[in-house]
Amino acid sequence: MNHDDALNMDSITAQQLTKRYDETLALDTLDLSIPDGSVYGFLGPNGAGKSTTMRLLTGLTMPTSGEATVAGVPTTDRGQLIDHIGLLPEEPPIHDELTAREQLTYAAGLRELSESQSRIQRLLERVALAEDADTRIDTYSTGMRQKTAFLQAVLHEPDVLFLDEPTAGLDPRAARTIREFIDELSDGGTTIFLSTHILPVVDEHADTVGVLSDGQLVAEGSPGDLKRRVDADTGDKTLEDVFLDVTETAPDEEI
Amino acid sequence: MVVGHLTGGLTIARTELRRSVRKATSRLSQILGLGVGLFIFSAGALAVSYLLVTQSPDLSGFTIGAGVRSAITFQWLFVVAIIAQRVVTVNPRPDAGDHLLTTVRPTTAVVGLILAELGRIAAYVGLPVLVVTLALAYTTGSVATVPLVALAVALLFTSGVVLAHVLGLGIKLAVARIPVLARHRTVLGTLAAVLLFGGYTVIQSTGGGTNGFGVVPVGWIADLAALALPVGTSPAHALGGLAATGAVAAVGVPLASRVATAFWFGDSVTPEIETEEATVDRVGTDPLASGLGLLGRLPLGSGQSGHVARRTVLLARRAPAKLSYLILPFIVAGSFLLQAAFGELTIPTAAFAPGLAVAIPWVAGAAFTLNPLGDEGSVLPLTLTSPIAGRTYFRGLVRPGVVIGWLALPAVPILALATDYAPADAALMLGVAAFGIPAVTAVAAGIGMLFPRTDAVRVARGREATPPTLTAMVLYSACVGLAVGLPVAAGLAPAAVRAVAAALVGGLLAFPFAYVGGPLTGVAEALGSLGQSIAGLDTAVVQWGGLLVPVALGVVFALVSVRFAARYVERYTL
């Protein structure tokens, strides 16, 4: 199945997905339809509801109303869901006391992956972490920690990968390594849900971009479409212009 | 499915244990603590084993009765309470939970946490229990005792740890969902700790009071452990113990899993309460002062030191969890009080006022100045690069403790007079405490500088704080004891102080020299005669000497400490 064929099915869907915390409406009737094998760039100001959406789609939080599926599995069915997803949250979920190899071995052990050591070694080499793989994580730089957490999220070759700020705080070389890896995964058919504030990354990699503001999806389309919608005449706007434009607009005045 | 949970749980437990070992061996203080813990368990076990093997006691007259079963149940309940408290305060959620909970089912995660806790317990008690069991088996010639004791101990701890997780996670869930519990969790938690430790010491000290626990079949597991020994046992009780502990473990795991799922994946009222509490009413032009509310009216000074003082109080007000270590002495004192009240049916009211006269200075110094560098946290570079003199900075740090401590002082004479102390004694306690507050607060600053803690530790509700190091706490408490406790004691009860000092010098201090003997005998004799001289001192000399010498030392220590601390911070490099 090539990349275009893979885009025919929806890997992530959400219908009227809503999350309310007491008086606060964190996510308001979100509808999503993300094709299989695509990269979905998820943008929004701080506090817009991006992390809540990601927690809902990965089954870490239950919705107040509405429903969602990931890889065809309802997000409320955590038992099935965890077999299909990989998650890299903003704070790398790794143990400082372990080494990268131990951490990845642990993650592989939890999923009972076969021949995990050779795969771990390949992945470590892939992100240039093999030399430091037997050093404790508490001595790692931000980039090395992020790479370890990233490998942990992709180790089991998930159908859908959720990435929250995967390149934040990384130097250009480390960021490029992660970005190239994202491309590879996408080419291999993995659906990627990418939340970030680094807009050029989204511009470069995303097939579709969704912009969330005050819990509502206020804009959605390909990066090119969105730019044209903001400035149909010249079309020379950047994704940053789009972001600033749509997030300044009141939610009920959706473009 | 059960096998899957167990396999996954073992993987989690292995990793958790590896992390625990690495954490424990990464710091000298942790290694020492671990060593002391292992020594306490192992030394007792070795002593018992030695006696068993060398004395070969006749056990035939011994019967496992209600007293033994009751004691086992009582200790089991205490273990349950301690581990439940650990679950609530230290391990309510798995570390790196976002990864774990999107990788395995919640039941597997719960099984992993339970197995990890069992592994930690086994690290402490496993070997000592095995040594005693082997000695028992050797002495009685009963090989079957080894697997029976192993089974009984394993069931006892497994059921206890499982129940503790049900209770601990249940408490966390209740606090997450019920607003009134969430709002008053610190007070309720402190009260629960006082009741728990107080209740334990009360029942432990009254001895016979524990017999009532014999009806709980968990303690019947003692009959199972002793089934192959030449002692009186009841097979029916053994079976009951086996069934009870097995049932607790079997029912507890799915129950803990359900509670954990509700807690880990459900909503919490805490963020709303915290948001509500974070709202600040602004009045006046000084945001730091207005953020303090009523505390803003305290005379915390002006200028640079005033800013430091107000910032210090504001941080403590906004995150009181960072001061949670201050309640530890009060938990201990509360426990003793409960023990005295229930054990001897009297409340030692005479200890209240002197206790308060020492406690107020202790809190005043410990609250804000015992870890100044750690309290700065990520702001430390800003402070170090600010044009503020070391002395000014420390005036700001010391002032909140002094002001708040002095404001609390009227409670000392009021309590003293209410508990039948003479006005002169009340005045003495007031005077010593009033002097002690600035002195020990200044001393705390120096000690805190010498033994800082800059890395945060997890405190209640998963929050992180940087409490003072144990070394700083111990040294500081010793200084408070010397500069405040001794003058109070010498002023109120000079004869008792004289007797204690004579026994300490002439007895306790002299003993090791006398024990070694040889050339050190002379030292022991000198100390012994010094002890006798102390015992012969006039009470007036003890009274005035015990009052004036510590006060003079307090002044000297305070001056040295401020000078040292001010210079230290001015020259401090990251």
Side-chain angles (χ1 to χ4, degrees), chain B residues 284-494:
Chain B
T285 54
D286 184 345
L288 281 176
S290 71
L292 288 173
L294 277 177
L295 291 172
R297 296 183 187 178
L298 295 174
L300 294 175
S302 58
Q304 286 178 312
S305 68
H307 273 80
V308 173
R310 275 188 285 280
R311 189 276 319 248
T312 302
V313 178
L314 189 59
L315 289 180
R317 186 183 182 225
R318 295 269 165 85
K322 76 186 278 290
L323 299 180
S324 53
Y325 62 91
L326 290 178
I327 64 174
L328 288 175
F330 296 94
I331 289 177
V332 175
S335 301
F336 279 118
L337 193 64
L338 272 175
Q339 188 178 356
F342 285 91
E344 297 166 24
L345 298 176
T346 55
I347 296 176
T349 51
F352 285 5
L356 193 65
V358 178
I360 289 176
W362 187 88
V363 171
F368 305 112
T369 38
L370 202 44
N371 188 27
L373 294 176
D375 287 341
E376 288 287 326
S378 57
V379 184
L380 186 56
L382 173 78
T383 307
L384 294 178
T385 54
S386 298
I388 180 169
R391 279 181 180 274
T392 312
Y393 173 72
F394 272 97
R395 256 202 314 279
L397 272 188
V398 166
R399 192 171 280 143
V402 173
V403 169
I404 293 171
W406 276 345
L407 279 175
L409 274 183
V412 174
I414 291 170
L415 194 59
L417 294 173
T419 50
D420 298 332
Y421 276 99
D425 290 339
L428 171 96
M429 286 184 258
L430 176 67
V432 172
F435 150 78
I437 287 169
V440 300
T441 307
V443 168
I447 293 174
M449 276 288 171
L450 267 179
F451 303 99
R453 185 201 294 278
T454 50
D455 50 334
V457 297
R458 208 190 299 180
V459 294
R461 287 175 274 133
R463 288 183 173 181
E464 292 205 322
T466 46
T469 59
L470 187 61
T471 312
M473 289 280 275
V474 170
L475 269 178
Y476 169 69
S477 299
C479 286
V480 175
L482 179 74
V484 186
L486 180 57
V488 168
L492 296 177

Side-chain angles (χ1 to χ4, degrees), chain A residues 60 69-70 154 193 245:
Chain A
L60 287 170
T69 65
V70 172
V154 302
F193 191 89
D245 189 86

Side-chain angles (χ1 to χ4, degrees), chain B residues 272-282 290-291 317-318:
Chain B
E272 283 82 53
I273 288 172
E274 285 176 350
T275 305
E276 194 183 302
E277 287 172 350
T279 306
V280 177
D281 292 327
R282 290 261 165 254
S290 71
R317 186 183 182 225
R318 295 269 165 85

Side-chain angles (χ1 to χ4, degrees), chain B residues 41-142:
Chain B
F41 284 110
S42 305
L46 281 175
V48 170
S49 304
Y50 177 76
L51 287 174
L52 281 171
V53 172
T54 55
Q55 307 293 319
S56 295
D58 179 19
L59 301 174
S60 58
F62 185 75
T63 300
I64 303 286
V68 173
R69 295 183 196 120
S70 189
I72 297 285
T73 303
F74 177 62
Q75 298 302 337
W76 179 80
L77 283 171
F78 187 66
V79 168
V80 169
I82 292 290
I83 296 171
Q85 189 256 354
R86 263 178 60 78
V87 172
V88 170
T89 56
V90 184
N91 297 319
R93 296 175 191 274
D95 285 343
D98 282 354
H99 169 252
L100 189 67
L101 298 178
T102 52
T103 304
V104 298
R105 288 163 178 75
T107 305
T108 310
V110 168
V111 169
L113 294 180
I114 288 171
L115 289 175
E117 199 68 4
L118 281 169
R120 291 185 194 103
I121 292 171
Y124 279 103
V125 303
L127 195 61
V129 167
L130 183 67
V131 169
V132 173
T133 307
L134 288 174
L136 208 54
Y138 173 78
T139 304
T140 59
S142 164

Side-chain angles (χ1 to χ4, degrees), chain B residues 161-196:
Chain B
V161 171
V162 168
L163 181 61
H165 275 75
V166 175
L167 292 174
L169 290 166
I171 290 168
K172 288 299 288 184
L173 179 63
V175 171
R177 297 287 166 80
I178 303 170
V180 69
L181 293 182
R183 205 176 289 276
H184 304 294
R185 56 193 178 248
T186 307
V187 174
L188 292 171
T190 307
L191 199 62
V194 169
L195 287 175
L196 170 65

